[in-house]
Amino acid sequence: MKRKAILMAAGRGTRLSRKMPGNCKCTLDIGGISLIRHTVEMLINFNIEVHIVVGYNKNQIIDSLRELPVTFHENVFYSITNSLASLWFARNELAEGLIILGNADVYWDEQILSFLLEERRDCVMLSDSTRVEVGDYLFYVEDEKVMTYGKGVNITNANCEYVGITMIQGDMIPKFKQQVCALIESQWHSDWWESALYKMIPHRPIWTKDVAGHFWGEIDFVEDYERILAYRRDNSYAE
């Protein structure tokens, strides 16, 4: 199956940018290579076609990926919209096997990608059952199905953290694309892209896959960045 990946990299990342002004989180150096270049090179090495939605500091991101076979899409309204709108700008790429990263500032490696590509279910969101206490965006999952979700979920009502990576394939793709376009037409442009999936839950399951035991990290704070640097250093990942 031919696969595509769409990375959303249009946002400002305001929580970290206050401490690291001028930097896009996804272009931070993680040991001789930028975070986003690490992700893109990994995807390309697995023969996955890469698309990136840019907006804020777009030239910094484009420059960090120079000479790589990447297609860029621009969310020109990045300052007043959210990731659902960013995905809509790449709507023509919603086909075939699809991997979506709602934030390009997530560090992951080939172990998790290989783990994900083994999946045959039509819609799978990666989760981590070991990170409820420190998690930002939590799920309550039952029988591997998303039941409750969001940043406001109390940890007593959650059993995993959403990793920020989802794979959609098969007959789910056209239904998903239709839902994305319908939400944008209804002016839901300030929502997260995952809203298009959650709207479908009453009619079909949205599955999860637990990556517990695999290292990953989203850069929201300086401490997150330092944790990734330490992992790369300790595991001899310097480029």
Side-chain angles (χ1 to χ4, degrees), residues 86-145:
S86 290
L87 185 60
W88 182 85
F89 278 101
R91 62 194 180 279
N92 291 334
E93 307 307 327
L94 301 180
E96 305 165 286
L98 183 65
I99 298 171
I100 302 178
L101 277 76
N103 296 300
D105 61 347
V106 175
Y107 176 86
W108 54 315
D109 58 24
E110 291 185 4
Q111 289 184 335
I112 292 180
L113 179 55
S114 297
F115 186 54
L116 179 62
L117 293 176
E118 294 172 355
E119 186 58 58
R120 293 297 175 262
R121 291 175 292 182
D122 60 4
C123 181
V124 177
M125 307 179 81
L126 294 185
S127 62
D128 190 335
S129 59
T130 68
R131 289 177 55 89
V132 176
E133 295 293 331
V134 298
D136 180 40
Y137 193 108
L138 301 177
F139 283 163
Y140 172 68
V141 169
E142 193 173 285
D143 297 327
E144 298 189 312
K145 294 180 286 190

Side-chain angles (χ1 to χ4, degrees), residues 119-125 144 166-169 172 176 193 197 200 204-208:
E119 186 58 58
R120 293 297 175 262
R121 291 175 292 182
D122 60 4
C123 181
V124 177
M125 307 179 81
E144 298 189 312
T166 298
M167 187 166 70
I168 306 171
Q169 55 191 353
M172 180 67 166
F176 173 67
W193 77 266
L197 292 181
M200 303 171 77
R204 49 142 302 118
I206 302 299
W207 303 100
T208 60

Side-chain angles (χ1 to χ4, degrees), residues 162-182:
Y162 174 42
V163 174
I165 301 168
T166 298
M167 187 166 70
I168 306 171
Q169 55 191 353
D171 293 341
M172 180 67 166
I173 291 283
K175 298 172 185 175
F176 173 67
K177 181 177 180 179
Q178 183 180 29
Q179 187 68 70
V180 169
C181 292

Side-chain angles (χ1 to χ4, degrees), residues 5-7 26 30 33-46 48 50 52 65 68 70 99 101 103-110 113 165 217 232:
I6 299 178
L7 285 65
C26 66
I30 58 169
I33 190 171
S34 70
L35 173 56
I36 193 169
R37 192 175 181 100
H38 155 78
T39 300
V40 170
E41 288 186 354
M42 177 179 68
L43 291 166
I44 291 171
N45 287 339
F46 275 73
I48 297 171
V50 179
I52 300 177
L65 297 171
L68 292 180
V70 173
I99 298 171
L101 277 76
N103 296 300
D105 61 347
V106 175
Y107 176 86
W108 54 315
D109 58 24
E110 291 185 4
L113 179 55
I165 301 168
R232 298 270 295 178

Side-chain angles (χ1 to χ4, degrees), residues 156-218:
T156 60
N157 299 317
N159 54 14
C160 57
E161 181 181 18
Y162 174 42
V163 174
I165 301 168
T166 298
M167 187 166 70
I168 306 171
Q169 55 191 353
D171 293 341
M172 180 67 166
I173 291 283
K175 298 172 185 175
F176 173 67
K177 181 177 180 179
Q178 183 180 29
Q179 187 68 70
V180 169
C181 292
L183 290 180
I184 291 296
E185 288 172 6
S186 298
Q187 300 298 301
W188 282 49
H189 48 73
S190 295
D191 267 54
W192 303 99
W193 77 266
E194 290 91 347
S195 295
L197 292 181
Y198 302 148
K199 279 288 185 179
M200 303 171 77
I201 287 178
H203 311 291
R204 49 142 302 118
I206 302 299
W207 303 100
T208 60
K209 194 175 184 78
D210 192 356
V211 301
H214 297 281
F215 181 87
W216 66 279
E218 180 179 3

